[in-house]
Amino acid sequence: MARIHNPNRGRRRRPVLALHSLRVLAIAGILLIALAEAPVAQNPPYDLLLRNGRIIDGSGSPWYRGDVALKGDTIVRIAPSIEGPATRVIDVAGQVISPGFIDIHTHARRGIFVVPTADNYVRQGVTTLIEGPDGGSPVPLKPFLARLEALPRSVNMGSFIGQGSVRSAVIGEVNRQATSDELDKMRALVEQGMKDGAFGLSTGLFYVPGTFTPTAEVIELARVAGRFGGIHISHMRDEASGVIDSVKETIAIGEQGGLPTQVTHHKIIGPANWGRSVDTLRLIDEARMRGVDATIDQYPYTASSTSIQAALLPAWAQEGGRDATLKRLKDPATRAKIKTESVRIIRNERGGGDPKNIVIASCGWDPSLAGKNLAEVTRIRKMEPTVENAAETALWIVEQGGCSGIFHAINEADLERILRHPATMIGSDGEIPVFGKDHPHPRSYGTFARVLAVYVRERKTITLEEAVRKMSSFPAARLGLLDRGVLRPGMKADLAVFDPARVRDAATFEQPHQYAEGYSFVVVNGQVVFERGAMTAARPGKVLVKR
Ligand SMILES: [Zn+2]
């Protein structure tokens, strides 16, 4: 391939033509000393040079052909052709060079200490994981961030401070208003979280104890996070029949709390509610029109995942913690009331009308149940798999110690409508599984690759450049990570290199433990962490904090 002439060579010779000038003589002298002290052959200007890429810079602009040069942890040059020399040169002809992907919603804080290479994420191009979603985070945050800092890791990590965890620490898991003294304590804990480096306040108003929190109390805490430049990100109170009111509440928290607000893993649960994304997206558009900074994130699957207890029991049955729940289940009248609610949820909401739609992901007390659906577990218990018996099985599961589940109750049309919205970014809601263990939701292995394969290449729901934007510059800007998420000189060198014709998610609901394919290199802070099918020994991940 023909190389473009390197303009630097010509420039360097020019002073020699004007040797009569003392000033130029001095410059030439300095240049000679510099050259003598730093021989080019031993100290190349670049550590890594990626050549002939299709550069998708994260901004959403169309790709362009070029080379990307790195020095240390930084992108130092992007040009149609860079001569080098470089310590290492890789020809990536035909492949895309994009910013490393930033996952704004992960549950990685246990898994990272078991699998510090986070293979499932890195192998789909993810270089930054944000923890503390759904109202749940370590409180205080600092000791956790210190433990992370001490752990050699492949990926960058950061965290939100969780409203549910803060409320739990101050009030407990109970359904009552906070006193003004308790509110002060919660404000102080959120403030401490922000000073420790949180990117904002997460809420999980669906879960206990978030569900016991009045909107006004959330707004009080949101104001604190907003004062420190944080955002609010919410697993909403209700993603099924109450989804419209919940989006309104999420917007109100941003509007009255004076901070950006985000609907996380936006979805519409339950056949009776399908299609309502038309209205939820309109609400987001209207909020943005009047100046409320409201956004969305989403994972590209038609099933959700959480605990059987949180999904299939009403919140009131979970008040006060596990012992209180078990006590209620022992009382026949209360148990019947709980079961009625569970039947309703299986019929109209998370169960999508059929116990087969609920699949066990993991079960500490009986690992053999992982992968079986609620109809099968009901049969194992020698009952016909009716909705009523499946609800009874769900209560039994909670009594045995609980399991996590996967719930197939989302509609493809809602998913694609939400994905097309310009204010929607991608977040996995995944974890770092141990390869081969349990039966996790495939989102942990496939989210980012699936968007590129299914929704860009196959269905053409969005363009490749738009997909990359939703995975890089958009979440980076949301978090205030202004030195990542875009390919520009001066930015931190987090990169993904993949073949746009081959990239795909391999993980399925049936066989979740399969890494994404089509990626050839992943770079974190200038170091190659994944290369042609294998993780490297590099552990360049940094703890990222809100500045
Ligand atoms: Zn969630």
Side-chain angles (χ1 to χ4, degrees), residues 181-195:
D181 179 51
E182 286 166 342
L183 191 54
D184 282 344
K185 282 185 183 144
M186 291 191 285
R187 279 200 197 96
L189 286 176
V190 172
E191 179 167 341
Q192 191 55 57
M194 294 306 298
K195 285 177 176 163

Side-chain angles (χ1 to χ4, degrees), residues 12 30 45 53 65 80 97 107 137 156 179 201 225 240 256 314 325 400 454 471 483 487 491 499 503:
R12 215 170 261 169
I30 290 163
R65 195 171 304 286
I97 306 175
H107 298 271
S137 77
N156 303 312
T179 65
L201 180 74
Q256 293 169 44
T325 303
Q400 302 310 300
V454 175
M471 301 172 179
D483 56 354
L487 299 185
M491 304 292 270
D499 180 346
V503 62

Side-chain angles (χ1 to χ4, degrees), residues 447-502:
T447 290
F448 293 81
R450 183 171 175 79
V451 169
L452 300 175
V454 175
Y455 295 99
V456 171
R457 193 173 60 231
E458 290 170 24
R459 300 196 191 170
K460 300 181 171 52
T461 313
I462 51 173
T463 65
L464 181 54
E465 288 85 351
E466 176 68 353
V468 169
R469 182 186 72 84
K470 287 170 179 288
M471 301 172 179
S472 55
S473 71
F474 189 14
R478 202 66 182 143
L479 295 162
L481 290 174
L482 300 179
D483 56 354
R484 295 177 200 270
V486 182
L487 299 185
R488 295 277 155 76
M491 304 292 270
K492 294 291 180 220
D494 293 345
L495 311 172
V497 179
F498 61 90
D499 180 346
R502 273 205 330 115

